[in-house]
Amino acid sequence: MTQPVPIPPAEPTGEELRQALRKAVKMRAHLRDRGQTRFEIEVTDLSLSGFRAETSFTLWPGTVVWLTLPGLAALEAVVAWRDKFKYGCAFAKPLHPAVFEHIVALSQR
């Protein structure tokens, strides 16, 4: 009699993995584009690889920006998508987990 072959659990998809690492935050920050225009944004969620924000300033997908959060050096990112006043941006380099946790803790103050 043959033994049944165990089926390994499914690997999480990119979407599931991203959801697990995303944290809702609410904090004011500044964004600057290559043209040196600096404006205020509201960061609404954060992951190791990027963030979502809201602003009335117009940005276009593909735009390189620098995010400045209170007490941290500017973080380079690129606008990945836009939906009216909401934007998704991907960091040029993923955040270190300790930096990610520090930012999340700052947002809860």
Side-chain angles (χ1 to χ4, degrees):
M1 186 170 199
T2 60
Q3 294 288 330
V5 176
I7 299 172
E11 290 293 318
T13 65
E15 183 68 20
E16 290 167 343
L17 186 60
R18 187 181 84 171
Q19 292 294 333
L21 298 175
R22 189 167 293 275
K23 295 266 187 159
V25 297
K26 185 172 178 145
M27 61 192 310
R28 295 268 178 214
H30 288 96
L31 210 60
R32 179 177 59 81
D33 63 13
R34 282 190 194 267
Q36 305 297 317
T37 305
R38 184 173 179 255
F39 49 93
E40 192 170 273
I41 63 169
E42 176 89 17
V43 178
T44 58
D45 79 24
L46 184 72
S47 72
L48 295 173
S49 61
F51 63 97
R52 184 169 44 191
E54 295 182 15
T55 183
S56 59
F57 192 85
T58 302
L59 294 165
W60 300 104
T63 302
V64 175
V65 294
W66 286 265
L67 172 69
T68 304
L69 295 161
L72 294 174
L75 301 165
E76 184 179 347
V78 63
V79 177
W81 57 265
R82 173 182 180 224
D83 182 13
K84 296 181 183 157
F85 300 114
K86 296 180 182 179
Y87 297 88
C89 298
F91 291 123
K93 296 178 186 170
L95 293 178
H96 185 280
V99 173
F100 172 75
E101 291 301 331
H102 176 71
I103 295 168
V104 171
L106 282 176
S107 75
Q108 297 170 348
R109 289 185 182 168

